[in-house]
Amino acid sequence: MLEESIPHFAEIADELSQVTVEIRSGGRSGIGAGILWAPDLVVTNAHVARAPCVGVGLADDRWVDAHLVVADRRVDVALFRIPRCGVAPAAFSDSDTLRVGALVVALGHPLGLRRTLTAGIVHALGPARPGGRRFIHADVRLAPGNSGGPLADTAGQVVGMNTMIVGGLALAIPINDVRRFVASATASEAAASAT
């Protein structure tokens, strides 16, 4: 009975590895992670999106060029379009239902170590400072190369996008906020192409 309630982290890592991309902007060193949002879309942090065209590394070691659709440095989210890659995109959970104490995992490329998994619990849900915007605060261990990668629940569903570390805790943008950003960006892109 107890064994059934213990998450299988290797399986979660395998699932998340398929939808966690590597983002490179010039040079050969990885600068961050991203989430395969759709077969032709990748989301990441705006601070990872250092150029209008970046290289995106997929789980099968293919590299494709990604072109910036939009980046908003205020909310620290960027959307890139890639050639359709034939890979199923990430599965998403409702971040509004996330609770303090929930077990979460993060996958990324910290310090050049590709597709590294770390786990922790949600400490808080709210602004990092009074009057600020809402984040998921978790004690997962992040380092440069995790930015833009997924924070997921124990079902492997993405609940947030890892962004920064403040006071020793990882902060992630709730995935529902990212969902609204992508919906707005793709609607604007469609309207622009129709004119």
Side-chain angles (χ1 to χ4, degrees):
M1 189 75 148
L2 177 63
E3 188 174 320
E4 291 176 6
S5 66
I6 298 171
H8 296 277
F9 289 108
E11 291 174 13
I12 296 169
D14 287 344
E15 289 175 26
L16 290 177
S17 289
Q18 297 304 306
V19 298
T20 304
V21 301
E22 189 173 355
I23 307 275
R24 289 186 189 170
S25 177
R28 291 188 48 83
S29 61
I31 61 165
I35 303 167
L36 187 62
W37 192 269
D40 62 343
L41 292 173
V42 167
V43 293
T44 188
N45 289 135
H47 75 263
V48 171
R50 298 181 186 175
C53 183
V54 299
V56 168
L58 303 172
D60 61 6
D61 292 327
R62 280 183 293 160
W63 281 88
V64 296
D65 289 333
H67 299 278
L68 184 66
V69 174
V70 64
D72 187 331
R73 301 219 178 269
R74 185 180 55 84
V75 296
D76 201 14
V77 181
L79 179 68
F80 282 88
R81 189 164 295 283
I82 62 172
R84 293 186 75 83
C85 63
V87 177
F92 303 102
S93 184
D94 179 358
S95 56
D96 290 342
T97 64
L98 193 62
R99 298 174 59 193
V100 170
L103 184 61
V104 287
V105 297
L107 197 126
H109 317 290
L111 305 174
L113 295 171
R114 298 175 72 204
R115 295 177 176 80
T116 300
L117 187 80
T118 182
I121 63 165
V122 174
H123 276 240
L125 300 162
R129 59 186 66 85
R133 58 198 186 89
R134 188 171 173 265
F135 287 100
I136 301 165
H137 305 241
D139 67 348
V140 294
R141 187 176 195 145
L142 301 184
N146 278 111
S147 290
L151 183 74
D153 60 21
T154 54
Q157 295 188 324
V158 179
V159 296
M161 182 168 65
N162 297 310
T163 300
M164 66 181 117
I165 299 171
V166 174
L169 292 177
L171 299 189
I173 301 168
I175 207 64
N176 287 359
D177 293 351
V178 179
R179 190 179 274 127
R180 286 186 282 272
F181 177 90
V182 172
S184 174
T186 52
S188 297
E189 183 186 35
S193 66
T195 57

